[in-house]
């Protein structure tokens, strides 16, 4: 928020140089991803008693020697601006002032000769030729967005909104969101749960399921680093992308500021309504979105400066956001909900320069999301509200994070960093007082119209499932890193430990303790083959295929995850032009059930090599060719245990009916024959706690992915940088549950086991696409090992492949304008998205319906849900006058693949009991993508800012328009087809559209 002053000629030259370097670094590389500090290094004349003095605006002072090769390096420098001086015999003979550094990057500050005298220092302060345009000290690839970028560009005020500037990053499915309501991001085709989030070096990733993470108040972000791969051995636990934020710190000058933002409803376009396009309801309205309104107000402020000059610094920021509005439900849940969201964030950081060799940083971060609402009946015939019915479920999700980081420059060549942090999240919810007796009724639009007269009948129960109000989670992260420079080597070794606890987690059905769901299918087809559920046509009222079922569901448990890692890496400057980065990481993961027993122990060495090379082709940092290869392991989050290791309950009890009463409840019920004579569970979840030794396969291995990158960066003109990068990713192993007990039984018999002597469980956490060894409890009190191969299950090999070719052109800010354009051609294909299913919105991490049975995986090989063949991103700013700046952000991208999921095979039956979930459509094979794609998107966001000279440019007025042309395209469609004789009403119905055009007004003052 700091207001820039009009540049002097010398300052303009300085700014152009520094920003050119900064933009170039954002395009190329990071030495150590997710870092919180930077590095200054370079070449200097070889002379006796030569040293380089580094003085920061944060009070830090370091002096490092120039070695016999004329090189120097200062490691682990906090983000700040620095003066860098070359000294010989204690006398300054050359200097560079206002040197900015980037997180994790190496900033080259070199001194060409000693011939310039001290009297000439005012003329040698950072000339345009003084710094290289490309960072040749890294073989990685990343995007770094600074606070200056955030102040200029029209962006969503979230970590994910910033991350979308990076190539390969795209919005995840609208089905998914983070704990704080933030929409998630997919990187290079990966699932949205496979990313890692960091704040000031502490891992803030959602410990429960990996859905997003905690982030900083927008105005407190100093820099955000986005990696879609290629990071060093110091970091892991992600095979998607990494979003790492570094917060601001105080300096030797006090600064204060405040900002107010307003997104009024009158400046927001109406959202598109959603209509049925299939089945009996085709052409009828499903959801009235045009009546939805909302207004958002954001107030923020900050203060930063010295508590003790050169020693102790404080930076504090507060941000509070309030959104009020209404949301009209669908015709199956016809309520108008008037709601309020309150989202306060707090951030504070203390920096203590204990002495010139030791630094202590303390961070405190808090984020809360409150929600409450009231429900009113909504009349679709008149498009108007009716009487108040109930409150909505009130929720309050809070996160508190504390981080301590200690840096010690033990010697000129030896640096120690240690970080310890802890987070605590609470997930309070209060069920609404609906005043309605009876269960929640789902799929009301599948009621038999012959019994309703074509009208939807419901009891208006809004209370469905409830979460445990005492639910909370904790996470502890310990990192210790030691760096030693010896000759041409910079060797770093360390540990990275993390412990997550999920406490009193779980969901159960409220009200009467069950849900009621209506359904429609072919009357002459069994509802399910395994477990068996008969044909509705064989029972009274089911002759036209209409039936219903009662659902019971409960998952209540406390579980934990322990993660350990060790690593070593060497940055080896082989020659003046060639750098090798050699790293090796070893991860260990252990997941515990509610009894504290390990049900998933992955502690054997999991070696993850990270190899990189950088070639300074011309020796002047104008052309870099780089390559990177690495393996990345991913741990299972805590919530996996809720469905696989904690005795969950998930059963359906099916029946036909001959009438529907005034409250929407079926009458004249007749149970449909089933294998149990009552309720069945396709996944065998009947509430029994499983033996931890039988939860997962005995030879199970972690999910991991291999990645290969080859690219170059070329500064062909002082103001222009371009480059290309090719990326290949291959998912080598995944974890998911397999539920085909029949295949396990057949394999057990073939291997000599007697079925009466062994117990086969429900679903097993396994490595799909590989042979798995299962431990079956036997009659002797021990276990019988049974190996089940891929052929035994009838599976194909696991596949998730990604390749992409990225091309960019960048012009750094030169005092007038800046811009970058990036085009990515990519492909993501295979038979598994990863931990979740974006096309159907299934959120059970590593317990998806994929791989449960071979029938579900037939014809599953195709384009994956996060595949976007073309992505064009362009953004930039233009200082059109001293007081006026305009900026824009353009995204053009092709649509995602669509699926058509119907009943199985040409007979269109349900052999596995999953309903309309097979890769068949109208009795024909239908691979992902065969149904086409969602439309292309062309989204333009623009902004303008006015900083009057009469206010010394400290006051600013701005306006941003998002989705300027109000393009509303379908971003997700419902894939469930049903069968030829009973096409589901929901098939091809829009799930979500692009956010309509809206306007954000702002005013801020910095002093």
């Amino acid at each position: 928020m700091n207001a820039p002053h009009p540049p002097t000629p010398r300052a303009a030259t300085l700014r152009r140089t520094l920003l050119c370097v900064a933009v170039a670094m954002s395009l190329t590389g990071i030495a150590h991803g997710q870092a919180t500090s930077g590095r200054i290094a370079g070449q200097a004349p070889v002379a006796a008693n030569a040293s380089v003095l580094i003085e920061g605006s944060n009070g830090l002072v370091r002096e490092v020697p120039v070695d016999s090769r004329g090189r120097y390096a200062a490691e682990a420098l906090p983000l700040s601006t620095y003066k860098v001086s070359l000294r010989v015999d204690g006398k300054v003979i050359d200097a560079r002032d206002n040197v900015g550094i980037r997180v994790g990057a190496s900033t080259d500050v070199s001194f060409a000769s000693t011939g310039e005298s001290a009297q000439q220092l005012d003329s040698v302060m950072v000339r345009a030729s003084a710094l290289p345009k490309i960072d040749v000290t890294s073989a990685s690839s990343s995007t770094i967005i600074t606070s200056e970028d955030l102040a200029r560009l029209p962006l969503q005020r979230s970590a994910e909104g910033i991350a979308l500037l990076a190539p390969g990053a795209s919005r995840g499915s609208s089905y998914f969101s983070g704990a704080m309501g933030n929409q998630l991001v997919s990187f290079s085709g990966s699932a949205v749960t496979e990313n890692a989030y960091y704040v000031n070096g502490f891992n803030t990733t959602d410990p429960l399921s990996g859905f997003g993470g905690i982030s900083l108040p927008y105005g407190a972000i100093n820099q955000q680093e986005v990696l879609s791969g290629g990071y060093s051995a110091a970091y892991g636990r992600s095979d998607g992308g990494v979003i790492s934020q570094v917060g601001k710190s105080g300096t030797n000058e006090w600064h204060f500021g405040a900002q107010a933002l307003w997104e009024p409803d009158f400046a927001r376009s109406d959202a598109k309504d959603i209509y049925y396009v299939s089945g009996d309801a085709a052409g009828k309205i499903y959801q009235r979105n045009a009546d939805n309104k909302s207004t958002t107000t954001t107030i923020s402020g900050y203060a930063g400066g010295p508590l003790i000059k050169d020693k102790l610094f404080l930076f504090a920021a507060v941000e509070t956001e309030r959104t009020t509005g209404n949301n009209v439900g669908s015709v199956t849940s016809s309520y108008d909900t008037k709601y309020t969201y309150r989202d306060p964030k707090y951030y504070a950081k203390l920096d203590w320069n204990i002495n010139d060799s030791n630094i202590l940083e303390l961070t405190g971060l808090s984020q809360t999301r409150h929600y409450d609402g009231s429900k009113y009946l909504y009349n679709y015939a008149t498009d108007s509200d009716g009487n108040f019915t109930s409150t909505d479920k009130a929720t309050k999700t809070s996160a508190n994070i504390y981080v301590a980081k200690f840096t010690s420059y033990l010697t000129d060549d030896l640096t120690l960093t240690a970080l310890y942090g802890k987070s605590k999240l609470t997930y309070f919810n209060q069920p609404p007082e609906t005043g309605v007796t009876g269960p929640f009724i789902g799929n009301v639009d599948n009621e038999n119209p012959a019994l309703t007269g074509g009208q939807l009948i419901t009891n208006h129960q809004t209370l469905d499932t409830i979460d445990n109000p005492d639910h909370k989670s904790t996470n502890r992260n310990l990192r210790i890193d030691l760096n030693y420079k010896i000759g041409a080597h910079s060797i770093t070794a360390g540990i990275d430990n993390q412990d997550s606890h999920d406490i009193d987690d779980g969901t159960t059905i409220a009200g009467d303790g069950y849900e009621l769901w209506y359904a429609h299918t072919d009357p002459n087809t069994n509802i399910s083959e395994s477990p068996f559920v008969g044909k509705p046509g064989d029972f009274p009222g089911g002759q036209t295929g209409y039936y219903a079922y009662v659902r019971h569901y409960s998952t209540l448990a406390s579980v934990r995850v322990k993660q350990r890692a060790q690593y070593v890496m060497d940055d080896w400057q082989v020659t003046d032009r060639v750098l090798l980065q050699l790293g090796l990481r070893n991860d260990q993961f252990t997941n515990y059930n509610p009894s504290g027993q390990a049900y998933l122990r992955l502690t054997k060495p999991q070696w993850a090599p990270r190899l990189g090379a950088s070639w300074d082709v011309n020796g002047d940092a104008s052309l870099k060719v780089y390559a990177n290869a690495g393996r990345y392991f991913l741990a299972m989050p805590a919530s996996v245990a809720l469905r696989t290791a904690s005795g969950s309950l998930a059963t359906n009890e099916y029946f036909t009916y001959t009438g529907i009463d005034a409250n929407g409840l079926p009458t004249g019920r007749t149970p449909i024959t089933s294998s149990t004579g009552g309720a069945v569970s396709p996944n065998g979840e009947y509430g029994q706690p499983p033996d931890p030794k039988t939860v997962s396969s005995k030879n199970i291995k972690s999910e991991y992915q291999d990645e290969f990158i080859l690219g170059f960066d070329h500064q062909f003109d002082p103001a222009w940088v371009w480059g290309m990068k090719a990326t290949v990713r291959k998912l080598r192993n995944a974890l998911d549950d397999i539920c085909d007990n029949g295949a396990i039984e057949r394999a057990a018999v073939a291997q000599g086991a007697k079925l009466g002597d062994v117990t086969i469980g429900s679903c097993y956490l396994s490595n799909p696409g590989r042979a798995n060894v299962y431990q079956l409890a036997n009659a002797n009190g021990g276990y019988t090992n049974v190996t089940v191969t891929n052929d035994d299950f009838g599976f194909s090999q696991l596949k998730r492949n990604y390749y992409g070719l990225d091309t960019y052109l960048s012009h750094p800010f030169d005092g007038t304008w800046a811009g970058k354009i990036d085009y990515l051609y990519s492909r993501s294909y295979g038979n598994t998205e990863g931990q979740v299913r974006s096309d159907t919105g299934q959120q059970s991490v590593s317990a998806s319906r994929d791989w449960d049975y071979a029938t579900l995986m037939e014809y599953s090989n195709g384009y994956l849900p996060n595949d976007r063949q073309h992505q064009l991103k362009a953004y930039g700013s233009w200082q059109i006058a001293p007081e006026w700046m305009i900026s824009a952000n353009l995204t053009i991208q092709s649509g995602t693949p669509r699926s058509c999921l119907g009943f199985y095979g040409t007979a269109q039956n349900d052999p596995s009991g999953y309903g309309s979930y097979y890769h068949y459509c109208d009795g024909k094979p239908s691979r992902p993508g065969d149904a086409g794609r969602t439309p292309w998107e062309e989204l333009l966001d623009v902004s303008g800012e006015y900083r009057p000279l009469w206010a010394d440019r400290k006051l600013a007025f701005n306006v941003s328009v998002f989705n300027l042309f109000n393009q509303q395209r379908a971003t997700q469609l419902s894939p469930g087809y049903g069968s030829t004789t009973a096409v589901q009403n929901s098939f091809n119905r829009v799930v979500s559209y692009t956010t309509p055009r809206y306007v954000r007004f702002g005013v801020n003052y910095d002093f």
Side-chain angles (χ1 to χ4, degrees), residues 315-326:
F315 185 91
V318 60
E319 175 183 295
T320 178
E321 180 180 287
R322 187 174 188 268
T323 300
T324 59
N326 73 290

Side-chain angles (χ1 to χ4, degrees), residues 275-341:
Y275 289 84
Y276 290 102
V277 296
S278 301
D280 299 333
K284 297 180 180 178
I285 192 166
Y286 172 74
Q287 188 160 11
R288 182 75 67 195
N289 289 330
D291 286 349
N292 296 341
K293 309 296 180 184
S294 71
T295 295
T296 299
T297 304
T298 305
I299 304 294
S300 61
Y302 72 92
L307 298 178
I308 302 175
K309 189 175 181 181
D310 293 332
K311 280 290 183 180
L312 187 63
F313 306 89
L314 169 69
F315 185 91
V318 60
E319 175 183 295
T320 178
E321 180 180 287
R322 187 174 188 268
T323 300
T324 59
N326 73 290
N327 183 69
V328 176
S330 69
V331 293
T332 63
S333 181
S334 52
Y335 306 98
D336 188 0
T337 304
K338 311 294 177 72
Y339 62 83
T340 299
Y341 284 101

